[in-house]
Amino acid sequence: MTQAPPAPRAARRRHDREIVALAVPAFGALVAEPLFVLADSAVVGHLGTAQLAGLGVASALLMTAVGVFVFLAYATTAAVARRVGAGDLRAAIRQGMDGIWLALLIGAAVIAVTLPAAPSLMELLGASDTVAPYATTYLRISACGIPAMLVVLAATGVLRGLQDTKTPLYVAVGGFVANAVLNTVLVYGAGLGIAGSAWGTVIAQCGMAAVYLNVVVRGARKHGASLRPDSTGIRACAQAGAPLLVRTLSLRAILLIATAVAARLGDADMAAHQIILSLWSLLAFALDAIAIAGQAIIGRYLGADDARGAREACRRMVQWGLVTGVVLGLLVIAARPLFLPLFSGDSGVRDAALPALVMVAVSQPVCGIVFVLDGVLMGAGDGPYLAWAMLLTLAVFAPVALLVPLLGGGLTALWGAMTLMMTMRLLTLWLRSRSGGWIVTGATR
């Protein structure tokens, strides 16, 4: 009798194939998203300093307004994946449509607040009299595209839940190219200035939303899912997303506190902090791609009542996160001499950043595991635990970070506090993953 290959090895190979198939396209789509702002900056930057500064202020507000609602993607991915695992594609797409309708409602509310409040927001952020008019113009026009941006988030979650991360990659790349072309044509060809850049972004985002809606609508018709808004389903989406909103706001508060502390350390430290934070965010894209795969895979296993498969997938993704974190950390150490001169010729800035970068490199294995476990628990629909865990992390981080300037610490000490924050997240997420409390099987949690 021929002996069958060991089950653990076969399971690892299966999980590896799933992780790669979902994570690689997800990484491409994640990287494409910030390129929108980069393309806008490259085009607007040639109009003048005031216009570029206005774009910077408005973009920060715009990205914050959209970023806090990222739960539209996360919660939708988990809910749709569960129904895919349960074999009910009709209910999966119906769940996705509820998320899209919620995105439209939130988008309309954000527009209603942003348009009249734009000048006050510019004043609140300290925009100068020269910069404020450009920032206000860009923000008011771009706000018209917020519903489309939120629809893109929700529809991306639908496709991820359906185990499709390639379509979001294609749409993101197409959107970036369209945005770059439209910006150039409208800013310079039509002579619209910064308003042309804003309209180019709005048109590109609406085009992306239209492509996504076409894909989802075709799927709904194929499987007989209703496209009409359902108040019960929309309310359920909002309830599922509320804890993830708390988690996201807590994380943004942590980053805001870190920036405020860095600003009090001096100009050189603040400049170095901005460089390091940009690198940290870039590294997060690679780790977040595995987390996105985790959301889709874990939701599908739990929906299929396969608790053992969910545990095995979680274990394998943690290994992926750890190895990826080690590799990224080594790359940061090796690239330090080449990386810093790209962003600053000031020796004071480079001297401040150099030891802090070592702290970032050392923390990458921890970050790798944290991102994966975060994705696993999101895929399991364990939002309430994630919210409380992040609030606890914020409560620990805030006093430690605020003590840095009081005790005479520098940027390295601040990034030591950031490493403490990630370690705290690791502890809370690891305890939850070990407890098994996140494992709730079935088409709904």
Side-chain angles (χ1 to χ4, degrees):
M1 182 176 178
T2 304
Q3 187 175 2
R9 181 178 299 177
R12 284 197 301 270
R13 288 175 178 171
R14 184 178 71 254
H15 293 316
D16 288 345
R17 287 194 299 270
E18 289 180 333
I19 294 168
V20 170
L22 291 172
V24 172
F27 174 71
L30 288 169
V31 171
E33 290 174 8
L35 292 179
F36 271 83
V37 177
L38 186 62
D40 288 2
S41 300
V43 173
V44 172
H46 292 286
L47 293 175
T49 301
Q51 289 90 332
L52 183 58
L55 171 67
V57 175
S59 292
L61 276 172
L62 196 64
M63 291 302 99
T64 299
V66 175
V68 296
F69 298 115
V70 72
F71 72 83
L72 289 166
Y74 294 159
T76 304
T77 297
V80 172
R82 273 185 176 269
R83 285 161 174 78
V84 169
D88 192 348
L89 289 177
R90 179 179 179 180
I93 296 175
R94 175 64 258 181
Q95 179 75 41
M97 285 304 306
D98 291 335
I100 290 172
W101 280 112
L102 177 62
L104 288 170
L105 291 173
I106 293 175
V110 174
I111 287 181
V113 172
T114 303
L115 290 181
S120 300
L121 291 172
M122 294 306 111
E123 184 178 350
L124 181 64
L125 289 177
S128 68
D129 292 339
T130 305
V131 170
Y134 295 113
T136 300
T137 296
Y138 189 91
L139 180 61
R140 278 180 164 164
I141 295 173
S142 296
C144 298
I146 287 178
M149 295 180 192
L150 298 184
V151 166
V152 167
L153 282 179
T156 299
V158 175
L159 295 181
R160 288 173 181 170
L162 294 171
Q163 317 297 296
D164 176 9
T165 56
K166 290 183 179 179
T167 299
L169 171 60
Y170 300 149
V171 175
V173 171
F176 166 71
V177 173
N179 180 66
V181 172
L182 287 166
N183 267 256
T184 304
V185 171
L186 294 176
V187 171
Y188 298 114
L192 296 179
I194 195 170
S197 176
W199 281 119
T201 300
V202 169
I203 294 170
Q205 291 286 352
C206 288
M208 292 171 64
V211 172
Y212 274 122
L213 288 174
N214 180 57
V215 173
V216 175
V217 167
R218 282 194 287 110
R221 289 174 176 169
K222 179 180 178 180
H223 297 285
S226 173
L227 298 174
R228 294 180 179 179
D230 176 68
S231 59
T232 302
I234 294 172
R235 188 163 52 250
C237 285
Q239 291 172 348
L244 295 181
L245 176 61
V246 172
R247 168 203 168 274
T248 300
L249 290 174
S250 300
L251 179 57
R252 287 192 171 269
I254 287 171
L255 297 178
L256 183 62
I257 290 170
T259 299
V261 170
R264 286 169 173 76
L265 297 177
D267 291 347
D269 281 343
M270 181 60 217
H273 174 74
Q274 181 59 33
I275 294 171
I276 294 170
L277 188 61
S278 298
L279 175 63
W280 192 76
S281 300
L282 178 62
L283 297 173
F285 285 133
L287 299 174
D288 204 25
I290 304 175
I292 287 171
Q295 293 172 31
I297 293 170
I298 294 299
R300 193 188 74 235
Y301 274 117
L302 293 178
D305 293 323
D306 188 353
R308 178 181 177 182
R311 284 185 180 277
E312 290 176 350
C314 174
R315 189 178 304 114
R316 189 56 176 167
M317 281 183 284
V318 166
Q319 293 169 356
W320 270 77
L322 176 60
V323 171
T324 304
V326 169
V327 171
L328 291 176
L330 292 174
L331 287 175
V332 170
I333 293 293
R336 281 184 308 156
L338 301 174
F339 176 75
L340 290 175
L342 293 176
F343 291 87
S344 177
D346 188 328
S347 60
V349 173
R350 293 201 301 267
D351 290 344
L354 203 60
L357 274 177
V358 175
M359 189 66 69
V360 171
V362 170
S363 70
Q364 285 310 295
V366 173
C367 293
I369 299 175
V370 166
F371 273 77
V372 167
L373 291 178
D374 204 38
V376 165
L377 297 186
M378 284 184 189
D382 206 13
Y385 182 84
L386 289 172
W388 284 111
M390 190 60 80
L391 286 171
L392 176 61
T393 301
L394 172 60
V396 171
F397 170 79
V400 174
L402 294 173
L403 282 173
V404 168
L406 295 177
L407 298 178
L411 190 64
T412 303
L414 174 59
W415 276 91
M418 290 288 285
T419 301
L420 171 65
M421 178 269 294
M422 293 304 295
T423 304
M424 185 67 189
R425 290 186 68 190
L426 174 62
L427 177 62
T428 57
L429 297 174
W430 183 258
L431 289 174
R432 184 62 167 178
S433 69
R434 295 287 293 177
S435 73
W438 56 279
I439 299 180
V440 178
T441 58
T444 57
R445 183 176 173 85

